[in-house]
Amino acid sequence: MKRAWLSVTRKRGKSAILFAVILILGNVIAGAIAVNQSTQNVEKQIKNQLGSLATIDIDYEALMANSEGGASMEEIQPLPEELIKQIGERSEVKQYDYLREAMIAVDKFKPYSFRPEVENENIMASGGMDSWVYLTGTNLLQPLDFEEDTVNLTQGRFFTEEEQRTGKRVGLISEEVAQENGLTVGDTMVLDGQFIDYSSGEEPEKQKGNDYPIEIVGIFKNISLEKANEQGQEGGVSSFAFDDRPFNRIYMPNDAVKTIVEEERVGRQAAFPATDPGSDEDFFTPQFILNQPEDAEQFKQEVTPLLPNGYKVNASTDEYDRVGTSMNRLSQISSYVVVIAVIASLIIISLIIVLFTRDRKYELGIYLSLGERRKYVFAQIVIELLLIGISAMLISLVTGNMLGKMVSESLLASSMLEANQAGMEQFFVGAPKIDQATINEAFRVQYTLSYVIAFLATGIVTILLSAVVPLLYILRLNPKKIML
């Protein structure tokens, strides 16, 4: 150690050259690692914000494309309950539910209808069917939407085991529907249904339908809709699609929705005998809460082969994949830079050390001729490398972080046109609004413990590996020949 320190301090020129080389290469490695970890942190942060919900839905895009080998709508078969339960038992799934869904046309009952206070030609109302309510059956006492905090129960309670077992007609309604109809917890609302036939001409034919009394056991608020609205206002979003269905959704036990669907089918058949009553098979919408968002990709890959033709797996994290193009590009570039910089460092530092070691062969020959063991001679060279290398790495830890920040900001700015185009696509109300601007804003190149450890570990391992070639040179030294 003493000889290593004296060698570094007395041979300042050679030490300065090696210090400068390691500093330059260290800046490249530090900057690339900083960018790589920042992109990974952004992906993790955004996906955690999106949640860990996965659903199995009909692949309408494939049906519309009607590609060769694809299924037609008539060929789509309902998902068997056994298959849903089998998927729900997977290790990635924390909790699951399968929903029966139905639409009921109502007459005097008032669904909530969204109307912007200020007319704006850029705002489109996609949920214009004011005379419909949407029944969502659940197999759980507490629907998964409440577990995922997309909606919040503000009054009342969830379902009891008896209500689920017997299929009692109890429901959870939104604050907006309750206010429109003057309803509170404990009231019994009556959905005065009507049958509508659109096949008779331009004007649909209507007939009195069934009445469905439903006891209100709880009232909820749409939390995710408020967040989406706030994000739109703060971000200056002037174009979005708004859907009334989340407000007009009524959560009920699965069996209760099943009986209503059956009564609707029979009543419609009696009202319009010439029309097709539709299939009497149950179509479910399975929902799976995964243990963590990172499980989504594995879940999709392993579940997709189990599904019947015409179905696909959707995950809440898919929204990030849609708009995270620039982050993925940055992550790939930084990974390549780290690999290339490490390889270049190994080659350059190894060559420099070999050249410096050859100039010191007489010094090393004296050590060996005096009886010094080769392993201690080699240890001296390694200590000299670590003294210079760690000093250079500590400085490049600071300058490399700034370099990574400047490079990433430049790359992100150059991809903003593509990002803004992606951000203008329609987003789904009911899920957090994620666009490219949101992702870029979350991107931060900063010091973290994992960043410091990753950089120092990479640098030290690179320096140690760079000493392998000099080791071979030292092992071949013959002190007798050197001293002659």
Side-chain angles (χ1 to χ4, degrees):
M1 291 181 64
K2 182 178 180 181
R3 292 200 305 263
W5 174 254
L6 292 175
S7 177
V8 170
T9 54
R10 289 179 178 176
K11 301 175 182 178
R12 297 186 181 90
K14 293 182 178 179
S15 299
I17 292 174
L18 186 58
F19 179 88
V21 170
I22 297 177
L23 179 65
I24 294 172
L25 295 173
N27 271 279
V28 177
I29 296 175
I33 292 177
V35 172
N36 185 268
Q37 291 205 347
S38 297
T39 55
Q40 293 177 1
N41 291 336
V42 168
E43 180 175 357
K44 184 176 181 180
Q45 174 185 338
I46 295 298
K47 287 188 174 181
N48 283 334
Q49 181 181 344
L50 289 170
S52 54
L53 180 66
T55 61
I56 298 177
D57 302 301
I58 296 176
D59 191 353
Y60 290 104
E61 293 182 3
L63 294 176
M64 292 176 64
N66 198 21
S67 58
E68 184 177 351
S72 63
M73 196 62 196
E74 293 75 15
E75 298 173 343
I76 300 296
Q77 299 296 321
L79 289 171
E81 289 189 58
E82 294 76 14
L83 176 60
I84 297 173
K85 293 178 180 179
Q86 176 188 345
I87 297 173
E89 297 300 322
R90 294 183 58 84
S91 59
E92 305 97 337
V93 179
K94 180 171 66 175
Q95 194 175 17
Y96 75 99
D97 191 13
Y98 48 98
L99 310 178
R100 280 188 174 93
E101 296 186 313
M103 297 169 53
I104 303 295
V106 291
D107 185 12
K108 295 181 181 178
F109 186 85
K110 299 177 182 177
Y112 175 77
S113 178
F114 173 77
R115 290 291 180 268
E117 296 181 2
V118 180
E119 292 187 1
N120 188 332
E121 60 181 4
N122 292 324
I123 297 181
M124 301 169 291
S126 63
M129 298 183 291
D130 297 341
S131 59
W132 295 85
V133 294
Y134 305 88
L135 306 184
T136 300
T138 176
N139 205 47
L140 301 175
L141 302 182
Q142 179 176 336
L144 291 185
D145 287 346
F146 294 85
E147 291 275 355
E148 287 289 278
D149 292 330
T150 57
V151 291
N152 183 31
L153 188 70
T154 56
Q155 300 178 42
R157 59 172 176 83
F158 294 110
F159 308 124
T160 65
E161 292 183 3
E162 182 183 357
E163 290 169 345
Q164 273 288 7
R165 185 176 64 254
T166 60
K168 187 176 180 181
R169 292 185 180 179
V170 293
L172 308 173
I173 65 174
S174 68
E175 292 181 344
E176 290 75 13
V177 168
Q179 185 176 359
E180 285 283 338
N181 296 273
L183 299 170
T184 60
V185 174
D187 291 347
T188 298
M189 63 180 180
V190 178
L191 302 181
D192 52 340
Q194 57 179 338
F195 300 122
I196 305 177
D197 181 18
Y198 294 96
S199 63
S200 57
E202 294 185 2
E203 288 295 328
E205 184 181 351
K206 299 181 180 180
Q207 289 192 25
K208 179 70 176 69
N210 301 325
D211 290 340
Y212 302 108
I214 300 174
E215 179 185 350
I216 301 171
V217 296
I219 296 176
F220 63 84
K221 175 188 290 188
N222 284 288
I223 302 298
S224 59
L225 293 176
E226 290 187 354
K227 291 180 180 178
N229 189 36
E230 290 173 2
Q231 289 176 347
Q233 292 176 352
E234 293 175 2
V237 179
S238 59
S239 175
F240 62 93
F242 205 98
D243 194 347
D244 292 340
R245 284 176 293 180
F247 296 104
N248 297 315
R249 180 177 290 128
I250 302 174
Y251 294 94
M252 299 179 66
N254 254 337
D255 287 343
V257 176
K258 180 180 181 180
T259 58
I260 291 176
V261 169
E262 292 172 351
E263 292 178 19
E264 278 285 289
R265 185 180 295 116
V266 172
R268 180 176 176 81
Q269 177 71 23
F272 305 108
T275 61
D276 182 7
S279 172
D280 58 354
E281 297 178 299
D282 288 324
F283 280 83
F284 299 104
T285 303
Q287 293 182 340
F288 305 90
I289 294 182
L290 307 181
N291 294 319
Q292 52 189 0
E294 291 77 11
D295 294 335
E297 195 60 35
Q298 178 182 349
F299 180 80
K300 291 174 66 175
Q301 290 178 357
E302 297 185 4
V303 169
T304 299
L306 305 176
L307 302 179
N309 199 14
Y311 284 91
K312 67 174 182 177
V313 180
N314 291 319
S316 54
T317 54
D318 292 345
E319 180 69 4
Y320 176 85
D321 298 331
R322 182 181 67 82
V323 296
T325 307
S326 61
M327 286 297 111
N328 294 332
R329 187 184 299 116
L330 269 179
S331 180
Q332 290 178 351
I333 292 174
S334 60
S335 298
Y336 295 151
V337 170
V338 170
V339 174
I340 294 172
V342 168
I343 294 174
S345 300
L346 286 172
I347 297 173
I348 295 172
I349 297 175
S350 297
L351 291 175
I352 292 175
I353 298 172
V354 168
L355 292 174
F356 288 172
T357 305
R358 291 185 63 183
D359 290 342
R360 298 171 60 185
K361 66 179 181 178
Y362 291 106
E363 174 193 346
L364 301 178
I366 292 173
Y367 295 151
L368 295 175
S369 64
L370 291 176
E372 182 68 288
R373 296 182 180 180
R374 291 181 187 271
K375 66 178 181 179
Y376 291 128
V377 175
F378 179 66
Q380 176 186 338
I381 302 298
V382 172
I383 292 173
E384 292 176 13
L385 272 175
L386 291 177
L387 286 174
I388 298 173
I390 292 177
S391 302
M393 285 192 298
L394 291 176
I395 296 177
S396 60
L397 189 64
V398 179
T399 55
N401 186 274
M402 295 187 293
L403 176 65
K405 185 180 298 184
M406 290 188 296
V407 171
S408 59
E409 288 177 353
S410 175
L411 289 174
L412 286 176
S414 65
S415 64
M416 280 303 292
L417 177 61
E418 174 187 347
N420 287 337
Q421 290 174 346
M424 291 301 291
E425 297 179 10
Q426 177 181 359
F427 66 87
F428 298 98
V429 177
K433 179 187 179 298
I434 303 297
D435 55 17
Q436 191 66 55
T438 305
I439 293 178
N440 292 348
E441 185 178 351
F443 182 80
R444 295 286 184 274
V445 177
Q446 56 189 357
Y447 292 103
T448 61
L449 181 61
S450 59
Y451 162 61
V452 175
I453 293 175
F455 170 67
L456 292 178
T458 303
I460 292 174
V461 170
T462 302
I463 291 174
L464 293 177
L465 291 176
S466 301
V468 172
V469 176
L471 169 63
L472 299 177
Y473 177 79
I474 294 174
L475 290 176
R476 293 179 57 193
L477 284 177
N478 188 334
K480 185 176 181 180
K481 290 183 178 180
I482 294 173
M483 300 306 294
L484 288 178

